[in-house]
Amino acid sequence: MFNSLSDRLTATFKNLRGKGRLTEADVDGTVREIRRALLDADVAVPVVREFTAAVKERALGADVSQALNPGQQVVKIVNEELVTILGGETRRITMAKYGPTVIMLAGLQGAGKTTLAGKLAKHFKSQGHTPLLVACDLQRPNAVKQLQINGERAGVPVYAPHPGVSSEFEEATGDPVVVARNGVSEARQKQFDIVIVDTAGRLGVDAELMKQARDIREAINPQEVFFVIDAMIGQDAVNTALAFQEGVDFTGVVLSKLDGDARGGAALSVASVTGKPVMFASTGENLDDFEVFHPDRMASRILDMGDILTLIEQAERSWDKGEAERMAQKFVDQEDFTLDDFLAQMQQIKKMGSLKKMLGMMPGAAISRQQLEQFDDRQMDRIEAMIRSMTPHERVAPKIINGSRRARIAKGSGVSVSELNQMLVRFGEAQKMMKKLAQGGGMPGMPGGRRPAKGTSNNKKKQKFGNPAKAAQAAQEAANRKTQAPTGAAFGQGIPKDFDPSSMNLPKGFDKFLGK
């Protein structure tokens, strides 16, 4: 979504590097380029004016003129101002003190409200809540059926006493206000703690449908009213948001289709113009393509600083702890890393979602934007097909895979022999790296790695301890280190919150290991 804006801003800041002092002309030129980048991204003009004025005022201040690195100080200012126009702090949902928490969805036709209802339901269910979906969109053909399907996929019940219409030629019957009121009563009676009410899509100028939305709100008195907006509509998002704010008075915004290729002006405009925070972001068609909106993390993504915290949270949600413990124990026992283990680790990564999206959250992703766009997530499916075409013995001992076996495996998995050979070479490199991790408790320079102890050599000089108690303590610490499971992102455990990927010092050619 923000690729074009991110590239423009990154290129602008490159001109500030290495300058020991910034003149007023430097600041004016930088602000001018920022203004152009934001306007090209379809950000609302009033928001652009306010943003660039704040950046220029702060950039000409004492904090920048007296800084040791004024270029980095300007980037810091832009980052802070981006966080401000995106809403400032992350806001959580207001929960009801008594009875169920009622959430009402409103927005234009085709904005993705019904899909979002299923995503919200699954999100709350994963947090231990018991949500209920209420089908109040009785106008759009098969809207009720779609909500029932989403509820089934999310494992959440749907209150739908009225089937709605099945084609555009049918006249809508039934009262959505009554359905909404009865749905909340149903949730209270059966002790559901969250109610998500899906309403009909409407146009901002449609006074009749806007009145219907107001009537539903007055009937159910929701704690939250989410305005669902398509993030691809650009500056027009401002007029639409203002119309809904006047007609329904929403409490928060949800951005849908944030995975699209539009320029992202809606996300940078709505919160600033309406004063209402962006609460969630929908990033795909699957029910798992959904995340809490963090203004500071989104600003970091736009400025190509990455979003490691969201990446870690996704890993913690999807990683199988049992599988992680099994792999950790294998490393403690120094067992060989097999193709079955390789397949299991790859499946864990697939649970986190699109690998392309995850790589895009890494700092500096704009540098390799072209390679990232060419990356094919289906490569992991092909690797899985190759491994599953092998016999159990071949997976444990891949060295026995000779020419005839390779031809059989390639034919069974639908790939060429050369592609199979490349996969086996990459696996061999991974196996060597894992063996080093197991033997040394981690690679030097990587999280959890240890450097060789000082004073050790091939002649194995005898160590002398003057104090027997210290010698016993050192021996015990050495034994504890041997039995300690390795840590790091490869096992989904022990990832520090302030982890900096640039400290990993990855070897050259590591992109070949990833199959790029």
Side-chain angles (χ1 to χ4, degrees):
M1 173 63 73
F2 297 109
N3 288 353
S4 176
L5 176 60
S6 178
D7 292 343
R8 291 281 299 271
L9 292 179
T10 302
T12 299
F13 296 139
K14 280 183 181 179
N15 300 327
L16 301 178
R17 291 178 183 173
K19 291 193 175 184
R21 179 176 176 273
L22 292 183
T23 64
E24 186 171 352
D26 293 330
V27 174
D28 288 339
T30 301
V31 171
R32 189 183 309 114
E33 289 301 318
I34 293 174
R35 182 185 297 110
R36 288 175 179 171
L38 292 174
L39 290 174
D40 286 345
D42 261 349
V43 180
V45 175
V47 177
V48 174
R49 289 174 180 165
E50 182 181 353
F51 178 83
T52 52
V55 170
K56 183 175 181 179
E57 181 180 356
R58 293 184 60 185
L60 293 175
D63 291 343
V64 174
S65 61
Q66 298 175 6
L68 294 177
N69 192 327
Q72 290 184 358
Q73 195 71 15
V74 171
V75 176
K76 178 175 179 291
I77 290 171
V78 173
N79 180 64
E80 291 173 352
E81 293 300 326
L82 269 178
V83 173
T84 300
I85 68 170
L86 286 171
E89 298 180 353
T90 304
R91 188 174 84 77
R92 305 296 180 181
I93 284 184
T94 302
M95 305 298 288
K97 293 183 179 179
Y98 307 101
T101 299
V102 181
I103 300 171
M104 174 182 167
L105 305 182
L108 293 179
Q109 295 176 357
K113 294 185 302 303
T114 305
T115 302
L116 176 70
K119 293 182 177 184
L120 274 173
K122 188 170 184 180
H123 170 73
F124 288 125
K125 185 180 179 181
S126 67
Q127 294 182 339
H129 294 283
T130 55
L132 173 69
L133 294 169
V134 179
C136 292
D137 186 355
L138 308 181
Q139 292 185 195
R140 183 169 61 85
N142 295 317
V144 175
K145 184 64 176 178
Q146 182 187 354
L147 186 66
Q148 290 173 331
I149 292 173
N150 287 337
E152 184 177 348
R153 290 168 58 196
V156 173
V158 178
Y159 179 77
H162 197 285
V165 298
S166 57
S167 72
E168 58 183 2
F169 302 106
E170 290 185 37
E171 186 176 351
T173 59
D175 189 346
V177 179
V178 174
V179 173
R181 186 187 298 114
N182 293 342
V184 174
S185 300
E186 177 85 359
R188 187 175 292 109
Q189 181 181 356
K190 295 186 177 179
Q191 297 185 342
F192 291 95
D193 64 348
I194 290 181
V195 183
I196 301 171
V197 180
D198 179 32
T199 65
R202 60 206 76 245
L203 300 174
V205 295
D206 193 326
E208 182 180 350
L209 289 177
M210 196 67 76
K211 180 179 182 303
Q212 182 187 100
R214 281 198 303 270
D215 292 342
I216 292 176
R217 172 166 186 159
E218 292 174 1
I220 61 178
N221 191 24
Q223 278 70 37
E224 299 281 4
V225 178
F226 289 160
F227 172 50
V228 184
I229 188 169
D230 187 340
M232 302 176 69
I233 65 175
Q235 289 196 32
D236 193 48
V238 175
N239 297 329
T240 305
L242 290 174
F244 271 86
Q245 186 178 27
E246 181 181 355
V248 187
D249 190 21
F250 54 84
T251 61
V253 179
V254 179
L255 294 173
S256 65
K257 306 177 187 178
L258 205 62
D259 57 324
D261 57 357
R263 292 169 287 185
L268 296 175
S269 304
V270 172
S272 180
V273 171
T274 64
K276 305 296 184 181
V278 179
M279 304 281 290
F280 298 99
S282 178
T283 58
E285 291 295 327
N286 296 324
L287 294 186
D288 292 323
D289 297 334
F290 178 77
E291 60 187 50
V292 177
F293 189 87
H294 300 277
D296 53 341
R297 301 184 193 181
M298 186 58 68
S300 294
R301 291 190 203 181
I302 293 172
L303 296 180
D304 196 31
M305 298 177 184
D307 188 359
I308 296 299
L309 287 178
T310 299
L311 195 58
I312 292 173
E313 288 174 358
Q314 288 182 0
E316 289 176 343
R317 285 196 303 267
S318 59
W319 203 271
D320 187 343
K321 294 182 180 179
E323 176 63 24
E325 290 173 1
R326 185 188 71 81
M327 283 299 303
Q329 188 60 44
K330 285 198 67 167
F331 276 72
V332 171
D333 299 336
Q334 295 193 11
E335 297 179 12
D336 287 338
F337 183 70
T338 67
L339 279 163
D340 280 324
D341 298 327
F342 188 52
L343 179 61
Q345 293 288 294
M346 193 169 60
Q347 288 173 333
Q348 293 293 316
I349 294 174
K350 285 176 66 177
K351 288 181 182 179
M352 294 173 60
S354 170
L355 188 58
K356 184 186 292 187
K357 288 182 182 179
M358 290 189 284
L359 292 173
M361 292 182 187
M362 299 298 290
I367 298 175
S368 56
R369 182 87 68 200
Q370 187 174 1
Q371 291 181 345
L372 194 61
E373 290 300 325
Q374 294 174 352
F375 180 81
D376 187 2
D377 280 315
R378 291 175 296 179
Q379 177 67 17
M380 298 182 72
D381 296 330
R382 289 192 286 270
I383 294 174
E384 183 176 350
M386 285 184 260
I387 297 176
R388 293 193 182 279
S389 297
M390 300 176 185
T391 65
H393 186 45
E394 288 170 343
R395 298 182 196 180
V396 176
K399 290 183 179 180
I400 70 170
I401 303 178
N402 55 21
S404 61
R405 289 175 184 263
R406 288 171 191 252
R408 189 204 78 236
I409 295 168
K411 186 176 181 180
S413 56
V415 300
S416 63
V417 175
S418 61
E419 191 171 356
L420 173 63
N421 292 337
Q422 292 173 7
M423 188 276 289
L424 291 173
V425 169
R426 289 198 299 270
F427 169 73
E429 295 172 353
Q431 197 175 36
K432 291 177 184 178
M433 187 176 67
M434 294 303 180
K435 189 172 291 186
K436 288 182 181 180
L437 283 167
Q439 292 174 349
M443 293 179 65
M446 292 188 72
R450 297 194 298 273
R451 296 185 179 276
K454 292 183 179 180
T456 58
S457 61
N458 292 332
N459 58 10
K460 297 182 180 180
K461 293 182 179 180
K462 200 171 183 179
Q463 297 285 345
K464 293 185 179 180
F465 296 92
N467 189 328
K470 289 185 178 180
Q473 182 180 358
Q476 182 63 41
E477 290 177 354
N480 291 339
R481 285 196 297 270
K482 286 184 179 181
T483 58
Q484 184 178 9
T487 59
F491 305 102
Q493 296 176 335
I495 306 175
K497 291 296 183 183
D498 56 349
F499 168 55
D500 180 10
S502 62
S503 67
M504 293 176 65
N505 193 22
L506 296 175
K508 293 182 179 179
F510 194 73
D511 55 341
K512 295 181 180 178
F513 169 69
L514 292 174
K516 294 183 181 179

